[in-house]
């Protein structure tokens, strides 16, 4: 029985039917609908001969024994946000199932092959993303804080998890799952507009962006809008406004796909009859390269000091959040590029703005790569999320090619 990409697409449609409604996908983790989706997957995977295991963090594994204990991992997440899309996460679970079937039909593979359905990638119910993969990667360090988290109905996270067989205190024991992992592959919808704008079905993901988030506070002097001459003003908003525009040439100068966003400015006193005294500006900067991310930040800081002098105001910076870039494996990027070129002629390499389970696995030291398939209109986390059927089929084919190449490379 060979690979049948159209069967995978039909199964995705079946899953949508089973776990969605008129508002979209409803497979929120730690709910009955999510459990129904996991049961559905169990039923589908049964035919491959793979053994099922649910680990201490609630991740669902299907293991097809090969000639070696070393394992090739294929991973996705069947959970969705409320009123979510039909493909986010579930695409790789179902595509991976199809690849697992093909490999099982070919006889014992050189490496063990494991399909993982990560638990609670979205964090939709308790606001904590990448739950299962961060536990397996050993990077979960917020268990104390998780203990006190509650959902909108006041149900505590540990209680909700217990109903699905997970003991939060033991979640980190899922770490042993990545022992002996040779490589990790994840196919995902792009959730952005790049591939569609280039008219390409598939792309290879270089890694996930590093992020720097700051609150930039500008301080001037409130003064009467009527009586203060233009050259006597200390206008805090003027500094923020100059910076909001300056991040464009800074992003262009640094290049490499880096992006900068001034996502909001709050002005005080914020009335029409006063010069702005304080302007609190939110700045988000992202780049795939740690050095270039630092340069984006340094250039923005320098510019802000220049604008502060020009406008006779003060400026201060406070870091809100940051994460380092997580680059994927160079060798696997080459293999993925080959696989994509074989199935659709042209490949494109691009970074990922959103984080994915793959970032956690890569952080744990397992060679990792992702494939992106085009998202129509770049939409995701909505029932409008969609991808052309022929592109979905190509993506299953590309994942299969990549899995074959990785099996040959790592055995
Ligand atoms: Zn996802």
């Amino acid at each position: 029985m060979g690979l049948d990409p159209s069967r995978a697409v039909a199964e995705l449609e079946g899953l949508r039917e089973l776990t969605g409604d008129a508002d979209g996908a409803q497979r929120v983790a730690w709910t009955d609908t999510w459990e129904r989706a996991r049961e559905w997957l169990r039923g589908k995977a049964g035919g491959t001969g793979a053994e099922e295991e649910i680990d201490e963090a609630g991740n669902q594994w299907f293991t097809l024994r090969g000639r070696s204990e070393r394992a090739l991992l294929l991973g996705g997440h069947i959970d969705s946000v409320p009123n979510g899309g039909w493909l986010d996460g579930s695409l790789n679970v179902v595509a991976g199932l199809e690849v697992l079937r093909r490999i099982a039909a070919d006889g014992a593979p050189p490496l063990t092959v494991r399909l993982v359905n990560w638990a609670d990638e979205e964090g939709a119910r308790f606001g904590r993303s990448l739950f299962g993969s961060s536990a397996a990667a050993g990077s979960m360090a917020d268990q104390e804080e998780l203990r006190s988290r509650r959902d909108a109905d006041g149900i505590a996270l540990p209680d909700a998890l217990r109903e699905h067989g997970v003991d939060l205190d033991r979640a980190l024991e899922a770490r042993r799952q990545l022992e002996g992992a040779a490589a990790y592959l994840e196919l995902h919808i792009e959730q952005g507009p790049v591939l569609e704008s280039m008219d390409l079905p598939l792309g290879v993901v270089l890694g996930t962006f590093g992020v720097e988030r700051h609150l930039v506070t500008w301080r001037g002097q409130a003064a009467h809008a009527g009586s203060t001459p233009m050259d006597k003003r200390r206008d805090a908003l003027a500094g923020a406004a100059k910076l909001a525009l300056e991040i464009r040439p800074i992003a262009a100068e640094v290049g490499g796909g880096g992006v900068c966003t001034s996502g909001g400015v709050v002005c005080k006193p914020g009335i029409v009859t006063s010069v702005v005294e304080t302007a609190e500006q939110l700045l988000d900067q992202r780049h795939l390269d740690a050095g270039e991310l630092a340069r984006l930040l340094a250039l923005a800081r320098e510019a802000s000091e220049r604008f502060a002098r020009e406008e006779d105001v003060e400026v201060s910076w406070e870091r809100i959040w940051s994460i380092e870039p997580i680059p994927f494996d160079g060798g696997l990027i080459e293999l993925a590029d080959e696989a994509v070129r074989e199935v659709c002629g042209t490949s494109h390499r691009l970074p990922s703005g959103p984080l994915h389970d793959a970032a956690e696995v890569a952080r744990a030291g397992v060679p990792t790569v992702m494939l992106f398939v085009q998202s129509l209109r770049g939409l995701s986390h909505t029932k409008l999320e969609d991808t052309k059927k022929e592109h979905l089929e190509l993506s299953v084919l590309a994942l299969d090619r990549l899995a074959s190449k990785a099996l040959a490379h790592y055995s």
Side-chain angles (χ1 to χ4, degrees), residues 76-144:
H77 61 94
I78 218 162
D79 73 303
S80 74
V81 297
N83 306 327
W86 66 302
L87 298 169
D88 179 0
S90 58
L91 171 60
N92 202 42
V93 172
V94 175
L97 171 68
E98 186 59 31
V99 172
L100 202 65
R101 279 191 190 115
R102 195 274 300 161
I103 293 172
D106 286 354
L111 301 180
T112 293
V113 181
R114 308 185 73 200
L115 174 65
V116 52
N117 168 22
W118 297 112
D120 202 1
E121 191 270 353
E122 300 285 3
R125 184 167 167 194
F126 293 100
R128 175 27 164 115
S129 307
L130 308 174
F131 178 89
S133 54
S134 68
S139 60
M140 179 186 278
D142 53 350
Q143 273 169 304
E144 270 315 309

Side-chain angles (χ1 to χ4, degrees), residues 59 75-77 79 89 117-122 129-134 137 184 186 188 328 355-363 368 370:
N59 301 310
H77 61 94
D79 73 303
N117 168 22
W118 297 112
D120 202 1
E121 191 270 353
E122 300 285 3
S129 307
L130 308 174
F131 178 89
S133 54
S134 68
Y184 176 81
E186 184 171 334
H188 206 281
F328 291 155
L355 280 171
H356 290 285
D357 293 309
E360 287 290 352
V361 181
R363 224 152 46 137
T368 293
M370 290 183 78

Side-chain angles (χ1 to χ4, degrees), residues 162-241:
R162 204 172 300 117
E163 285 196 16
H164 297 272
V166 172
D167 175 357
L168 180 62
D169 293 329
R170 294 187 54 204
L172 274 164
E173 290 174 32
R175 268 189 100 152
R176 69 193 157 76
Q177 299 290 351
L178 294 186
E179 288 165 13
Y184 176 81
L185 313 177
E186 184 171 334
L187 162 68
H188 206 281
I189 51 168
E190 183 199 338
Q191 304 176 285
V194 174
L195 291 172
E196 188 182 35
S197 71
M198 299 178 77
D199 203 19
L200 291 175
L202 294 163
V204 177
V205 186
L206 293 163
T208 56
F209 274 149
V211 183
E212 285 281 4
R213 270 181 209 157
H214 285 83
L215 175 67
V216 185
T217 303
W218 303 84
R219 286 196 177 79
Q221 176 62 57
H224 197 285
S227 62
T228 316
M230 295 308 286
D231 63 349
K232 300 280 185 296
R233 295 178 179 216
R234 300 180 57 225
D235 183 354
L237 179 58

